[in-house]
């Protein structure tokens, strides 16, 4: 149902220049020598999908994903900003509507930007949006931060060893019910708020 078409990295970790990666159908792996940036690519995907934990991206704080420069005679200076865009095709209409994206698009480009002060900006097809809209786009698809589609080294062990309640979240996402639970939570919150307004003296 989802098709990752391309990724663009700019100032993200070891990718100083604009790097465009075309994701051809049937791609099953990224190979290369140690330290060449394979994991940085999966970090970039995790990050653009809304990852909030710097630790999950192998950093101490969010600004650590910004290119920090290289030494040597041909060294490059650090950049002030990191940006990653991922273009996805064949997105379900239901997810597009939830994320507030115009249905005329059959491709969606999700962009995230971070500056040295740590603040993040998100865009859907070039229009600024909230993190929540990006999350809505992927809800129930198994893609997105904290879901099971991106497994880093050691995460399988972590899932096996986690508490049943935590493990349950993975199965619920796989079963496609996360979005309904989220909708229920929001509806209950709105109801609570309405009751509060109703009962409080004016
Ligand atoms: P391995 O085979 O060992 O798993 P890998 O191909 O997965 O290696 P990565 O972990 O993706 O490699 O890349 C590591 C490289 O990225 C290191 O050389 C590191 O210095 C560089 N790097 C990480 N963060 C930044 C940053 N913010 N700025 C510049 N370079 C960075
Ligand atoms: Mg690696």
């Amino acid at each position: 149902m989802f098709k990752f078409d391309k990724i663009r990295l700019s100032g993200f970790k070891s990718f100083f220049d604009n790097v465009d990666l075309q994701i051809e159908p049937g791609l099953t792996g990224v190979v290369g020598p140690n330290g060449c940036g394979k994991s940085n690519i999966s970090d970039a995907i995790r990050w653009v999908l809304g990852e909030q934990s710097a630790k999950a991206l192998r950093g101490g704080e969010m600004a650590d994903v910004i290119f920090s420069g290289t030494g040597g005679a041909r060294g490059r200076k650090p950049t002030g900003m990191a940006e990653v865009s991922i273009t996805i095709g064949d997105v379900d209409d239901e997810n597009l509507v939830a994320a507030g994206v115009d249905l005329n698009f059959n491709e969606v480009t999700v962009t995230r930007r971070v500056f040295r002060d740590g603040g993040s900006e998100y865009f859907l097809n070039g229009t600024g949006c909230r993190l929540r809209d990006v999350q809505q786009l992927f809800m129930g698809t198994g893609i997105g931060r904290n879901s099971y589609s991106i497994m880093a080294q050691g995460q399988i062990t972590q899932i096996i060893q986690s508490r049943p309640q935590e493990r349950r979240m993975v199965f619920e996402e796989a079963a496609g019910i996360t979005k309904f639970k989220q909708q229920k939570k929001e509806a209950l919150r709105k109801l609570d708020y309405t009751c509060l307004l109703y009962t409080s003296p004016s």
Side-chain angles (χ1 to χ4, degrees):
M1 80 193 240
F2 262 84
K3 195 159 78 57
F4 279 0
D5 287 330
K6 53 179 183 254
I7 308 170
R8 164 170 275 226
L9 306 113
S10 179
F12 184 89
K13 291 209 170 186
S14 50
F15 298 94
F16 166 79
D17 292 312
N18 286 347
V19 176
D20 286 306
L21 301 170
Q22 198 69 38
I23 306 174
E24 303 294 345
L27 177 82
T28 51
V30 181
V31 292
N34 289 135
C36 72
K38 303 181 295 295
S39 300
N40 290 348
I41 295 175
S42 63
D43 288 345
I45 298 174
R46 192 185 278 275
W47 184 69
V48 72
L49 300 182
E51 179 60 70
Q52 298 299 296
S53 152
K55 198 167 143 242
L57 300 159
R58 304 178 299 150
E61 54 180 4
M62 212 29 109
D64 289 345
V65 302
I66 304 173
F67 177 75
S68 59
T70 55
R74 294 177 60 232
R76 292 175 192 262
K77 289 201 168 70
T79 52
M81 180 189 91
E83 183 177 300
V84 174
S85 293
I86 190 160
T87 303
I88 304 149
D90 297 345
V91 184
D92 275 0
D93 284 358
E94 201 188 321
N95 286 82
L96 289 176
V97 171
V101 178
D102 193 327
L103 280 180
N104 290 326
F105 293 100
N106 55 7
E107 267 195 346
V108 187
T109 299
V110 184
T111 303
R112 181 173 179 181
R113 231 180 244 169
V114 69
F115 297 91
R116 291 236 170 249
D117 65 8
S120 274
E121 293 175 354
Y122 298 87
F123 303 84
L124 285 174
N125 289 337
T127 305
C129 70
R130 302 163 299 174
L131 166 62
R132 189 175 174 279
D133 299 318
V134 176
Q135 288 166 343
Q136 290 287 331
L137 188 67
F138 297 103
M139 204 161 268
T141 63
I143 303 169
R145 74 180 200 99
N146 281 346
S147 80
Y148 52 89
S149 57
I150 306 170
M151 286 285 166
Q153 261 169 312
Q155 265 190 313
I156 300 284
T157 321
Q158 208 183 323
I159 286 175
I160 293 168
Q161 289 174 351
S162 63
R163 288 184 294 127
Q165 204 55 32
E166 286 166 5
R167 199 155 48 225
R168 180 185 169 138
M169 281 164 62
V170 178
F171 296 120
E172 286 184 345
E173 177 65 16
I177 61 167
T178 320
K179 62 178 167 186
F180 301 115
K181 288 190 80 168
Q182 181 65 26
Q183 281 166 5
K184 181 181 165 189
K185 212 164 119 188
E186 275 185 30
L188 285 173
R189 204 178 52 223
K190 280 181 192 161
L191 271 174
D192 275 351
Y193 182 65
T194 315
C195 292
L196 207 74
L197 283 181
Y198 187 67
T199 50
S200 62
S202 53

